[in-house]
Amino acid sequence: MKLAIFGTGKIVNEFFSFYKDIKNLEILAILSTKRSQHVAEEYAIKYNIKYVCTDVDKILQKDEIDTVYVALPNNLHYDFAKKALLAKKNVICEKPFTKSLCQLKELSKIANDNGLILLEAINNQYLKNYLELKNIIDKTGKIRIVSANYSQYSSRYDDFRNGIIKNVFNPKKAGGALMDLNIYNIHFVTGLFGKPKDVKYFANIQNGIDTSGILILDYGNFKASLIGAKDSFCDNKVLIEAEDGLIIVNNASNEVESIDIEYRNSKKEHIDKKTTKNRLLDEFQKFSEVIKNHDISFAKDRMKQSMIAMEVLEKARKSAEIEFD
């Protein structure tokens, strides 16, 4: 994978902390705004990156680059992913994929028409404990209630309270708790159980954006409550309540630190299959393998999951009357 990184933010800094553990990866370029060019140049010196640009077209003209990692604010995902696909580059795009389902469908069509790999960077789908959860989900009998809480007081919320609006709390930038945090819960639950029958989002709205909220997914025989909050905090967990036992997923849905099972007969079981320290490493190791093998089939399968998550996001925003530009 000959990679160009679009962005210089927090997620990119985290990516650099583990990228040397990814096989078959070479970072060739980094794109930044003029305001953040000094950050990109520091990365380039530290990690021996060949190209630093503020002009996306100059990067996309480089034939040696085969893949672009879009790690930009939410509202820019669609435009820059589309540019990269039209330049015949494979694309890994940070979550949430786009602002709307129709945008994602368009990107998917461009990728399919050009035989390109298009993947959403949503790490919990690749965590070994999450994959193990799929194997053991039936051990506790019929599921009745699922509750997933990812509440994390944002470092930018204090500014928001004082009238300073950063991207993550800006409706013009497709911000909000649903898009930033609850998206992990959505992928976690829909990755296990598929598309729900109904979606309702009860959001705490301030200045046109959801700073927290409870998303209800109706699966008929059971219900799921998904909490995402950037204005408060708690001990994050996922609980899967069933007739014959309780599955406890420790930590938030983007970590899946370990799994505990408490059976109705008082038996207990602890599960931990993780082999990597960084929560993003499993997904990028898989991405590198998929790009190397040009595994279109895998990418199309993952796209089905991303489409379901995007449909849930869109229905949730509509139910809470949250509008983006």
Side-chain angles (χ1 to χ4, degrees), residues 30-71:
I30 185 165
L31 175 75
S32 73
T33 61
K34 290 182 179 179
R35 179 170 54 87
S36 301
Q37 187 173 359
H38 68 286
V39 179
E41 289 172 348
E42 289 172 6
Y43 282 141
I45 293 169
K46 187 173 182 179
Y47 301 109
N48 195 30
I49 300 171
K50 190 174 181 181
Y51 304 111
V52 176
C53 292
T54 58
D55 184 340
V56 63
D57 294 322
K58 286 185 179 179
I59 285 184
L60 293 177
Q61 288 169 4
K62 307 295 183 184
D63 290 336
E64 63 261 51
I65 294 169
D66 60 40
T67 305
V68 167
Y69 172 35
V70 179

Side-chain angles (χ1 to χ4, degrees), residues 68-70 74 77 91-99 104 117-126 179 183-184 186-187 190 283-284 286-287 298-300 302-311 313:
V68 167
Y69 172 35
V70 179
N74 295 346
H77 289 182
V91 171
I92 299 164
C93 185
E94 265 303 323
K95 60 80 191 170
F97 231 138
T98 54
K99 291 193 295 184
L104 182 55
I117 302 290
L118 176 61
L119 296 163
E120 182 178 16
I122 180 74
N123 73 304
N124 59 13
Q125 299 297 293
Y126 302 88
M179 299 287 277
I183 179 65
Y184 289 108
I186 291 169
H187 269 287
T190 60
E283 67 171 338
F284 276 93
K286 184 62 178 181
F287 293 160
F298 178 87
K300 286 183 176 180
R302 294 310 312 164
M303 181 56 67
K304 293 175 184 176
Q305 166 62 26
S306 292
M307 289 283 188
I308 291 172
M310 186 56 60
E311 185 175 342
L313 275 177

Side-chain angles (χ1 to χ4, degrees), residues 140-145 240-246 263-264:
T140 51
K142 290 183 180 179
I143 293 166
R144 293 306 185 193
I145 295 290
I240 302 173
E241 303 174 43
E243 292 179 345
D244 298 320
L246 169 67
Y263 296 95
R264 202 157 49 82

Side-chain angles (χ1 to χ4, degrees), residues 7-18 39 43 46-47:
T8 57
K10 184 178 178 181
I11 196 70
V12 173
N13 187 55
E14 186 173 357
F15 175 79
F16 280 124
S17 73
F18 66 83
V39 179
Y43 282 141
K46 187 173 182 179
Y47 301 109

Side-chain angles (χ1 to χ4, degrees), residues 276-290:
T276 56
K277 292 182 179 180
N278 190 286
R279 66 187 181 90
L280 304 180
L281 182 53
D282 285 331
E283 67 171 338
F284 276 93
Q285 285 179 332
K286 184 62 178 181
F287 293 160
S288 181
E289 175 188 322
V290 170

